[in-house]
């Protein structure tokens, strides 16, 4: 058994850019490789958007912050947003002309989508993923795995009895252990999304337990906690929280109208927070979701 | 061997024999105060007799009647040894104070807390601080870091190492104002080189590595701290038979204790928390169960109190229960109330 030489590893873990400079600034480069990152958000906050954007950014060359690899998108929630992926991929193609030699190159060629309907199904797929990575042939090697979402895999199958909860806990660690093993062996970045549940304060529960930098997590004006509880929180390396707050009204100028008339649009304010991470300080930033994808808002 | 062979004055010898101490084995198994009382001599004389007896019995071949166990030390010697043992600073003086100066060598210390409280940060800080040279009050040793979760980031370790070197340089500048500044020899790169990093991906790998550590440390005698981050991750899955898990865990704990005692190094085990239903409500408890809680010498629990991080001594044979607050900064672990950047060196 030999120890790893820390100096032979690059001094910073390779990071996958999120496609937005402001978000990358918060994350000191992007999502790290060799580690499991969790994105927690209410539905409709933008976690799937961020994951789609990451799957496309993985193809970028390393000089542009990508991983020069393909991505595997495991989705457990229906339906998979194919149309949105195509829309994003078109604008991705346009904004990166240097990489795609001809117009027939489709960034979607490097995004592999697989549906998982239960935890056992996911464990059955694992050996195939291993084989998929090893025998990459002449396509880009797999560098990113996205699991969207882990909560949907677990929430329906287990009852609330102590023995089922114990079995569920043990599944968390088994799943996390396997994904971390893959991440470590092949240098992958693994992104997992999670849902939230409302917090109901009870006198005998630990639902108000504080995990991480934020005293409490708030989204859409109510207190929430990440789903799957304390056991799952121990399984991930970093946790990020996306929240949305009340809509604000923006006055915008109409593009082709010079006369100065403007119209109002409602935009939800979205916020990206770092809950815990082994190397990042507490930061947060705001962002919007546009047709081109996620873009940060300068504070 | 007979007592009359000892080099004592005849009066004392006479008192000894009349009190019934005719053989060396009977003398060596008794304490000096009992001997003084029985033989009607002063304690100093009794002490002298015992010293002589031990010396003589040491040079003779083994007497089958000896009731003294080979290798037993008296508590006085042990106290002197313990006080002279160096401790590893955590870079946070409040935390060092409740720990009695820092993490003690020769002990197994368990540190547990919720995710995000700073366990990995403490682990990295200790693996850097153990390398502080002796001129600065440190141990000048190397570290073994066993990573089971993948939370160790080289860039973070480099950040903490750079801050440590800067603090040492500032300290020499401060202490040797009138002399030529003693250049700090260590560079952050050297600090990273002295951390032996192992990544384990399953519990079998973990057990194999722990078994191998004895040989590894014998070949690298300057390792002074072994950090395991975290000890629980691989044990919370796949163990249907909890009895087997307890057995495996206690064997591992025993190996760590032996390593700590044999090589005089500190073992730091980082643990996760889980919820336990006690006294009608759910409480936080360290993972791996009640039987594991006996496996470590000291136990520190990290928790949130308002907006501050606190550490609490939950179990220790010599330290009083106390808590102290700390923060995690870009330079590593520091005091929370102190605004000064200067780190207190021992």
């Amino acid at each position: 058994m030999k120890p790893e030489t820390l100096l032979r590893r690059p001094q910073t873990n390779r990071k996958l850019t999120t496609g937005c400079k402001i978000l990358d600034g918060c994350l000191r480069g992007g999502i790290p490789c060799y580690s499991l990152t969790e994105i927690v958000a209410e539905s409709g906050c933008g976690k799937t958007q961020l994951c789609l954007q990451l799957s496309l950014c993985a193809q970028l060359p390393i000089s542009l912050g990508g991983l020069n690899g393909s991505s595997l998108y495991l989705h457990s929630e229906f339906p998979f947003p194919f149309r949105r992926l195509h829309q994003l991929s078109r604008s991705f193609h346009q904004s990166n002309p240097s990489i795609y030699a001809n117009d027939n190159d489709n960034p979607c060629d490097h995004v592999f989508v697989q549906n998982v309907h239960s935890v056992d199904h996911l464990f059955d797929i694992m050996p195939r993923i291993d084989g998929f990575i090893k025998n990459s042939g002449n396509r880009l090697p797999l560098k990113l795995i996205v699991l969207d979402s882990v909560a949907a895999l677990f929430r329906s199958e287990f009852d609330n009895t102590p023995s089922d909860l114990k079995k569920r806990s043990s599944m968390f660690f088994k799943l996390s252990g396997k994904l971390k093993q893959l991440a470590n062996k092949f240098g992958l970045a693994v992104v997992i999304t999670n849902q939230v549940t409302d917090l109901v304060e009870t006198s005998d529960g630990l639902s108000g337990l504080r995990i991480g930098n934020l005293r409490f997590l708030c989204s859409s004006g109510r207190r929430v906690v990440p789903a799957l509880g304390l056991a799952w929180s121990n399984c991930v390396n970093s946790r990020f929280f996306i929240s949305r707050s009340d809509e604000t009204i923006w006055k915008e100028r109409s593009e082709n109208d010079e006369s100065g008339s403007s119209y109002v649009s409602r935009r939800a304010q979205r916020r990206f927070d770092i809950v815990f991470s082994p190397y990042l300080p507490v930061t947060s930033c705001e962002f919007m979701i546009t047709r081109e994808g996620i873009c940060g808002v300068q504070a | 061997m007979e007592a009359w062979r000892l080099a004592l004055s005849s009066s004392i010898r006479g008192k000894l024999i009349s009190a019934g101490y005719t053989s060396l084995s009977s003398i060596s198994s008794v304490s000096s105060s009992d001997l003084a009382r029985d033989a009607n001599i002063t304690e100093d004389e009794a002490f002298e007799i015992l010293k002589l007896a031990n010396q003589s019995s040491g040079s003779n071949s083994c007497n089958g009647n000896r009731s003294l166990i080979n290798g037993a030390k008296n508590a006085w010697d042990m106290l002197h040894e313990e006080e002279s043992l160096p401790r590893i600073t955590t870079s946070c003086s409040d935390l060092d104070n409740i720990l009695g100066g820092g993490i003690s060598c020769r002990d197994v210390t368990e540190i547990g807390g919720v995710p995000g409280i700073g366990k990995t940060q403490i682990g990295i800080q200790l693996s850097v601080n153990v390398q502080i040279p002796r001129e600065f009050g440190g141990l000048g040793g190397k570290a073994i870091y066993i990573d089971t979760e993948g939370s160790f980031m080289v860039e973070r370790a480099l950040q903490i190492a750079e801050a440590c070197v800067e603090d040492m340089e500032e300290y020499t500048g401060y202490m040797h104002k009138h002399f030529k500044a003693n250049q700090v020899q260590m560079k952050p790169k050297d600090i990273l080189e002295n951390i032996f990093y192992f990544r384990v991906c399953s519990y079998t790998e973990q057990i194999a590595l722990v078994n191998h550590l004895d040989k590894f440390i014998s070949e690298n005698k300057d390792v002074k701290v072994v950090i395991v981050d975290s000890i629980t991750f691989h044990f919370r899955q796949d163990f249907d038979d909890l009895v087997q898990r307890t057995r495996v865990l206690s064997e591992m704990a025993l190996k760590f204790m032996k390593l700590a005692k044999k090589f005089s190094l500190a073992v730091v085990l980082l643990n996760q928390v889980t919820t336990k239903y006690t006294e009608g409500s759910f409480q936080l408890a360290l993972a791996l169960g009640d039987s594991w809680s006996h496996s470590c010498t000291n136990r520190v629990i990290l928790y949130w109190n308002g907006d501050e991080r606190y550490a609490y001594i939950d179990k220790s044979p010599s330290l009083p229960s106390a808590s102290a607050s700390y923060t995690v900064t870009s330079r590593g672990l520091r005091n929370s109330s102190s605004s000064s950047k200067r780190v207190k060196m021992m």
Side-chain angles (χ1 to χ4, degrees):
Chain A
M1 296 208 167
K2 286 182 66 105
E4 243 180 85
T5 333
L6 282 181
L7 289 178
R8 204 172 297 149
R9 268 204 192 180
Q11 288 203 335
T12 52
N13 271 12
R14 188 153 290 153
K15 308 263 189 351
L16 169 60
T17 174
T18 53
C20 158
K21 282 207 174 19
I22 297 176
L23 266 182
D24 283 349
C26 266
L27 296 173
R28 301 234 169 135
I31 308 278
C33 289
Y34 294 90
S35 122
L36 231 66
T37 307
E38 186 192 13
I39 303 180
V40 177
E42 204 190 349
S43 14
C45 278
K47 39 184 202 296
T48 304
Q49 301 298 309
L50 183 55
C51 291
L52 291 172
Q53 199 157 321
L54 286 170
S55 331
L56 290 171
C57 288
Q59 305 163 27
L60 289 172
I62 296 182
S63 52
L64 291 179
L67 300 176
N68 201 21
S70 53
S71 37
L72 175 62
Y73 199 109
L74 303 164
H75 68 101
S76 56
E77 293 175 348
F78 290 95
F80 181 77
F82 281 108
R83 237 189 287 171
R84 177 61 170 156
L85 179 60
H86 282 291
Q87 189 181 41
L88 284 176
S89 124
R90 272 197 298 275
S91 59
F92 188 76
H93 193 302
Q94 278 168 5
S95 44
N96 292 295
S98 48
I99 311 167
Y100 299 104
N102 51 17
D103 282 336
N104 287 339
D105 273 348
N106 191 353
C108 286
D109 285 341
H110 303 289
V111 179
F112 298 95
V113 177
Q114 167 72 50
N115 155 248
V116 270
H117 47 75
S118 73
V119 192
D120 294 319
H121 185 203
L122 182 52
F123 282 126
D124 287 338
I125 298 180
M126 288 288 185
R128 281 171 51 192
I129 298 180
D130 217 75
F132 187 70
I133 302 177
K134 284 194 193 137
N135 311 322
S136 40
N138 53 0
R139 51 177 162 81
L140 289 178
L142 190 68
K143 281 290 173 195
L144 168 71
I145 295 183
V146 177
L147 175 55
D148 181 11
S149 66
V150 70
L153 283 179
F154 284 97
R155 283 177 111 173
S156 50
E157 279 187 25
F158 295 87
D159 299 323
N160 217 9
T161 59
S163 59
D164 256 14
L165 286 178
K166 219 189 249 186
K167 219 170 29 160
R168 196 180 81 151
S169 270
S170 156
M171 284 278 172
F172 291 157
F173 285 92
K174 194 165 164 193
L175 174 62
S176 162
K178 278 225 148 52
L179 287 172
K180 283 181 180 175
Q181 203 171 17
L182 279 177
N184 190 53
K185 195 164 157 192
F186 301 108
L188 314 173
V190 181
V191 177
I192 303 186
T193 61
N194 195 4
Q195 295 164 354
V196 295
T197 34
D198 279 301
L199 176 62
V200 180
E201 290 280 12
T202 52
S203 52
D204 62 345
L206 275 175
S207 43
L209 171 69
R210 174 169 171 167
I211 296 178
N213 302 316
L214 304 175
R215 196 182 261 244
F216 44 78
L217 305 176
C218 232
S219 182
S220 295
R222 46 189 227 284
R223 274 190 71 173
V224 291
V225 285
L228 304 181
L230 178 59
W232 175 251
S233 312
N234 281 309
C235 293
V236 296
N237 292 122
S238 324
R239 173 176 275 175
F240 303 137
F241 178 63
I242 297 181
S243 57
R244 59 188 287 173
S245 49
D246 300 331
E247 298 183 340
T248 51
I249 301 178
W250 296 75
K251 270 185 180 290
E252 282 183 338
R253 278 186 179 282
S254 182
E255 274 174 4
N256 34 15
D257 197 340
E258 299 294 82
S259 63
S261 70
S262 54
Y263 62 92
V264 295
S265 73
R266 309 182 89 92
R267 291 269 181 88
Q269 262 186 326
R270 292 163 212 270
R271 186 161 206 91
F272 181 90
D273 282 297
I274 298 182
V275 180
F276 63 79
S277 164
Y279 67 108
L280 294 171
V282 183
T283 33
S284 76
C285 70
E286 282 184 25
F287 66 93
M288 291 187 310
I289 304 185
T290 63
R291 194 205 289 156
E292 287 79 31
I294 296 212
C295 54
V297 173
Q298 200 75 42
Chain B
M1 165 115 171
E2 299 303 323
W4 54 263
R5 291 238 185 122
L6 285 178
L8 299 166
S9 70
S10 50
S11 57
I12 295 185
R13 206 183 303 148
K15 286 186 191 169
L16 261 186
I17 294 177
S18 56
Y21 293 97
T22 46
S23 69
L24 264 187
S25 53
S26 53
I27 299 178
S28 43
S29 59
V30 85
S31 73
S32 58
S33 43
D34 285 337
L35 184 58
R37 193 189 50 223
D38 284 339
N40 210 6
I41 49 178
T42 65
E43 277 224 30
D44 287 338
E45 289 169 330
F47 197 69
E48 284 301 315
I49 295 173
L50 282 179
K51 247 184 27 187
L52 273 176
N54 279 333
Q55 276 171 11
S56 319
S57 54
S59 55
N60 278 350
S61 56
C62 190
N63 184 350
N65 285 338
R66 276 239 301 260
S67 53
L68 198 61
I69 303 171
N70 228 347
K73 292 187 275 209
N74 65 45
W76 189 248
D77 290 338
M78 284 175 69
L79 179 64
H80 279 298
E81 255 181 45
E82 257 183 47
E83 280 174 351
S84 58
L85 268 182
R87 285 169 178 261
I88 310 176
T89 173
T90 56
S91 287
C92 168
S93 56
D94 292 338
L95 193 51
D96 279 348
N97 284 341
I98 60 167
L99 287 170
I103 302 283
S104 59
C105 291
R106 289 187 146 223
D107 275 349
V108 176
T109 307
E110 185 183 353
I111 302 180
V114 291
I117 195 87
K119 306 186 285 294
T120 304
Q121 305 303 309
I122 292 186
I124 302 180
Q125 186 74 65
L126 289 172
S127 57
V128 166
N129 285 356
V130 73
Q131 302 180 38
I132 295 177
R134 278 181 227 252
E135 304 90 74
F136 295 90
L139 279 79
K142 301 193 178 165
I144 289 183
Y145 196 101
I146 302 178
D147 189 4
T148 61
E149 296 196 345
S151 294
F152 185 90
M153 305 286 270
V154 184
E155 63 197 76
R156 180 60 174 151
L158 191 61
Q159 212 181 14
I160 294 184
E162 281 166 355
C164 186
V165 169
E166 275 171 29
D167 284 339
M168 285 197 284
E169 285 173 350
E170 201 184 325
Y171 183 76
T172 42
Y174 176 66
M175 292 304 285
H176 300 282
K177 258 193 287 239
H178 304 293
F179 305 93
K180 195 169 104 170
N182 194 10
Q183 278 303 332
V184 175
Q185 298 298 330
M186 287 198 111
K187 297 273 170 275
K189 235 165 47 91
D190 302 327
I191 295 186
L192 283 192
E193 249 178 22
N194 289 336
I195 302 179
F196 296 111
Y197 175 80
F198 293 90
R199 174 84 167 93
V200 287
C201 292
S202 70
Y203 80 89
T204 43
E205 272 182 56
Q206 193 172 335
I207 297 175
L209 178 58
V210 176
N211 290 341
H212 177 72
L213 275 182
D214 193 287
K215 180 157 175 283
F216 186 81
I217 301 180
S218 315
E219 292 163 7
N220 295 284
K221 281 254 152 72
D222 36 8
V223 168
K224 284 288 166 221
V225 71
V226 176
I227 299 163
V228 185
D229 177 16
S230 63
I231 192 98
T232 45
F233 182 73
H234 295 300
F235 286 92
R236 289 181 80 177
Q237 49 167 301
D238 273 351
F239 271 98
D240 293 320
D241 183 6
L242 278 187
V243 173
Q244 189 206 16
R245 189 180 90 159
T246 312
R247 193 166 39 85
V248 169
L249 283 175
S250 21
E251 269 180 45
M252 199 167 58
L254 198 62
K255 291 214 167 66
F256 278 126
M257 279 198 254
K258 280 194 191 156
L259 277 177
K261 295 275 182 261
K262 181 172 169 189
F263 297 105
S264 281
L265 44 85
V267 176
V268 177
L269 306 177
L270 301 175
N271 200 356
Q272 298 170 346
V273 288
T274 173
T275 49
K276 202 160 75 149
Y277 192 73
T278 52
E279 296 164 17
S281 67
F282 282 99
Q283 307 245 347
L284 280 184
L286 292 190
L288 295 180
D290 288 327
S291 46
W292 173 256
S293 56
H294 298 296
S295 310
C296 54
T297 325
N298 304 305
R299 212 166 211 216
V300 179
I301 297 188
L302 309 175
Y303 63 99
W304 284 101
N305 188 353
D307 268 332
E308 298 232 312
R309 295 172 153 96
Y310 274 80
Y312 171 70
I313 309 280
D314 182 53
K315 170 188 168 189
S316 166
S318 53
L319 301 164
S321 283
S323 53
S325 70
Y326 65 96
T327 50
V328 179
T329 67
S330 59
R331 299 168 72 83
L333 234 64
R334 294 291 186 267
N335 278 341
S336 63
S337 45
S338 158
S339 53
S340 144
K341 278 197 209 156
R342 194 168 291 137
V343 171
K344 276 198 220 152
M345 297 271 182
M346 289 192 287

